[in-house]
Amino acid sequence: MYKDTYISEKEVMRILQATNFEAYRKYKYGNNLLIGSAVVGGIGCGLMLASLPCITSNINAFAGLIISGVAITGIPFPIMYVCGLSQKSKALDIYNSRFDRNKVALNLIGNEKGIGFAITF
């Protein structure tokens, strides 16, 4: 949500690009990971579908090779997906940290006149 309205991902990226480049970079990286996980997942599903006829026709060596390929390509899919969501979440946290109104800090201040404490909120 932005200013109490739901916005699209394109709008989110436009806002992040205009206001906070670090957050934009992380958000774009998260999107790329999600796209990569979809590609890897598609390859895994394609290999799985290709292995079904091989299993039923008793071609054990080829079916074993296909199933191994499914297992190998299936491992990165959830990892990339979770990492992509995490990167997008971190990007939004970076952007929202500028607006954290509940943050209270106690700082030690020193200058030529003395030492003191400052509370910022």
Side-chain angles (χ1 to χ4, degrees), residues 43-57 62-63 66-67 70:
I43 291 170
C45 288
L47 286 173
M48 187 182 304
L49 291 174
S51 70
L52 291 176
C54 299
I55 293 172
T56 58
S57 65
F62 186 66
I66 297 292
I67 292 172
V70 170

Side-chain angles (χ1 to χ4, degrees), residues 1 7 9 12-13 15-16 20 22-24 26-27 85-99:
M1 289 187 72
I7 58 174
E9 281 208 40
V12 170
M13 289 189 69
I15 291 168
L16 290 178
N20 192 328
E22 180 186 358
Y24 169 72
K26 280 195 180 292
Y27 197 84
L85 291 178
S86 173
Q87 289 296 319
K88 288 175 76 170
S89 177
K90 285 179 186 177
L92 295 177
D93 288 342
I94 289 170
Y95 177 78
N96 289 332
S97 68
R98 299 182 341 177
F99 306 108

Side-chain angles (χ1 to χ4, degrees), residues 6-36:
Y6 289 102
I7 58 174
S8 67
E9 281 208 40
K10 285 185 179 182
E11 274 297 303
V12 170
M13 289 189 69
R14 188 186 63 75
I15 291 168
L16 290 178
Q17 187 176 19
T19 59
N20 192 328
F21 187 73
E22 180 186 358
Y24 169 72
R25 192 172 45 89
K26 280 195 180 292
Y27 197 84
K28 190 169 180 166
Y29 179 65
N31 269 347
N32 291 341
L33 282 175
L34 291 175
I35 291 168

Side-chain angles (χ1 to χ4, degrees), residues 99-116:
F99 306 108
D100 191 8
R101 307 240 189 261
N102 297 329
K103 188 174 182 181
V104 177
L106 179 64
N107 299 317
L108 179 64
I109 298 174
N111 59 20
E112 64 276 351
K113 295 184 180 183
I115 298 174

